[in-house]
Amino acid sequence: MINQEITERQKRLEQFLQHLEAARQLEDDIRKYGLEAADLYFEDIDGDWLETWGDDDDEPGYIEKITTFLESDDVVAVKVRKRLQDKSHDEIIGGLEYCLSQLTEKDRIFAAKDFLVGDVVVSGSSRASSNSSIDEVELLELAEDLMEKLTEILG
């Protein structure tokens, strides 16, 4: 165990030293060649790569994936649409992005529950609800299912 720990540390140290040497070499090349040093490290630097950036992206983006999920016949999506029927797609996506931005899974679930109730602040406007007939357990389960589905969909 101790030998393995030492070798692991040695490997990390060796990697660090290699990266440090590469950084020093880059720095030396920049001093020596100036802006022309970029040609040493990048192929086709003068090409049209900037103009064609993203042309080969056939994967749907973040918002498209959430929208597709919300419009699907998935049981969770249907419940969310029913629950948030008075909100626009942009408001729903904004709220879900806020929920997903929370650091811990527990915080994401509670943010989603608050969003489903209407007690979450999105884009500076409060959507507080005073509906006392809300089943907290059902909402927590829906929020948990929603965050699980979105995490699965978005990777």
Side-chain angles (χ1 to χ4, degrees), residues 4-126:
Q4 184 180 11
E5 190 173 310
I6 291 172
T7 58
E8 203 50 46
R9 286 183 181 170
Q10 288 172 338
K11 285 180 185 177
R12 287 189 297 177
L13 178 61
E14 287 175 20
Q15 276 185 325
F16 172 75
L17 291 174
Q18 288 172 355
H19 292 296
L20 183 62
E21 182 59 35
R24 286 181 179 156
Q25 182 63 44
L26 173 63
E27 191 175 68
D28 290 343
D29 288 342
I30 290 172
R31 281 192 203 130
K32 187 175 182 180
Y33 300 108
L35 291 176
E36 299 299 317
D39 291 326
L40 298 173
Y41 291 90
F42 299 102
E43 294 178 17
D44 194 28
I45 196 142
D46 293 323
D48 66 342
W49 59 270
L50 185 58
E51 290 82 18
T52 59
W53 186 282
D55 286 352
D56 56 348
D57 290 342
D58 293 333
E59 283 268 329
Y62 186 81
I63 293 174
E64 290 86 7
K65 287 180 180 181
I66 293 176
T67 303
T68 301
F69 167 71
L70 289 173
E71 293 173 349
S72 72
D73 291 333
D74 185 272
V75 175
V76 175
V78 171
K79 288 180 182 178
V80 169
R81 280 197 314 266
K82 182 179 177 189
R83 186 99 196 122
L84 301 173
Q85 62 189 347
D86 60 328
K87 292 183 176 37
S88 70
H89 271 248
D90 290 339
E91 286 178 307
I92 295 172
I93 290 171
L96 293 176
E97 285 178 330
Y98 169 78
C99 297
L100 289 167
S101 72
Q102 302 305 302
L103 295 179
T104 66
E105 182 180 357
K106 183 176 89 174
D107 289 342
R108 286 189 292 271
I109 291 169
F110 280 104
K113 184 208 54 109
D114 290 343
F115 179 64
L116 291 168
V117 170
D119 289 342
V120 72
V121 175
V122 177
S123 302
S125 62
S126 178

Side-chain angles (χ1 to χ4, degrees), residues 118-136:
D119 289 342
V120 72
V121 175
V122 177
S123 302
S125 62
S126 178
R127 307 241 188 294
S129 172
S130 60
N131 190 348
S132 60
S133 65
I134 296 171
D135 184 3
E136 290 282 327

